[in-house]
Amino acid sequence: MTAVRAALPTLTARLPAPLRRHAGLLLALGLLLAWGFGVAWPAWRALQQAPQRLAHAQAQAQRTAALAQALAERKAAADASTALPATLEAVRALTQERLGASAQVRADDGGGWRVELAGVPAQALAHWLVAVRERLALQVVELDLQREGELWRGQARLAPMGGAQ
């Protein structure tokens, strides 16, 4: 404000005589117009548009929630349809499919399964572990492996998820 007051005499000296008397009023009017168009008008428009924007955002949030719910239901249905009942035959079939003759499956005393591994490549072992969890809903509760060059041997104990450890 001090800079404006210091510049006022210079500005008023350039004005014609009738306008010099009202220079302060013209400056105030100019500042008021600048404030009105630069600050007040955009704020007023934002306040006027707020209810429509809020309604749009709420509708979009509801659509997103409905899509997320549908996706979760679809994923649950897909998981339920791909998860086989964990039977000895299912574990043997999956193990044979993923690891071939390098693994032997037998029932364990605790209600799970014990898999003996001999000469299994690391990548095949990793894929088998993922498939056991996703397709049969089993968890590995014990894993004892030894590396022999590029291959692995040992044993794994499987149990139903949330079941006996």
Side-chain angles (χ1 to χ4, degrees):
M1 193 67 176
T2 308
V4 173
R5 285 189 183 170
L8 193 57
T10 308
L11 291 173
T12 56
R14 294 181 182 174
L15 292 174
L19 292 179
R20 272 188 225 146
R21 284 178 286 184
H22 303 293
L25 180 63
L26 289 174
L27 180 63
L29 183 62
L31 289 174
L32 181 64
L33 284 171
W35 178 83
F37 284 111
V39 176
W41 181 256
W44 178 254
R45 294 289 299 156
L47 284 174
Q48 283 182 326
Q49 295 171 354
Q52 293 89 3
R53 286 184 177 182
L54 179 62
H56 177 72
Q58 288 174 338
Q60 190 173 8
Q62 287 176 349
R63 284 192 305 271
T64 303
L67 286 173
Q69 175 77 18
L71 182 61
E73 289 171 1
R74 181 183 244 176
K75 185 178 183 322
D79 289 347
S81 67
T82 59
L84 300 172
T87 63
L88 181 60
E89 293 80 24
V91 176
R92 278 190 179 142
L94 179 67
T95 304
Q96 181 68 30
E97 172 190 326
R98 298 291 175 147
L99 302 178
S102 59
Q104 299 300 319
V105 180
R106 61 183 167 87
D108 195 26
D109 296 334
W113 298 270
R114 192 165 295 274
V115 181
E116 299 291 330
L117 306 165
V120 177
Q123 189 170 12
L125 181 60
H127 288 293
W128 175 75
L129 288 169
V130 170
V132 162
R133 183 172 185 86
E134 290 179 354
R135 289 178 48 189
L136 299 178
L138 295 175
Q139 62 184 348
V140 178
V141 293
E142 182 182 325
L143 186 62
D144 180 29
L145 296 174
Q146 293 84 35
R147 187 172 184 179
E148 295 177 342
E150 296 295 317
L151 303 176
W152 294 86
R153 71 174 181 87
Q155 63 180 353
R157 195 171 127 236
L158 307 174
M161 293 227 194
Q165 303 287 322

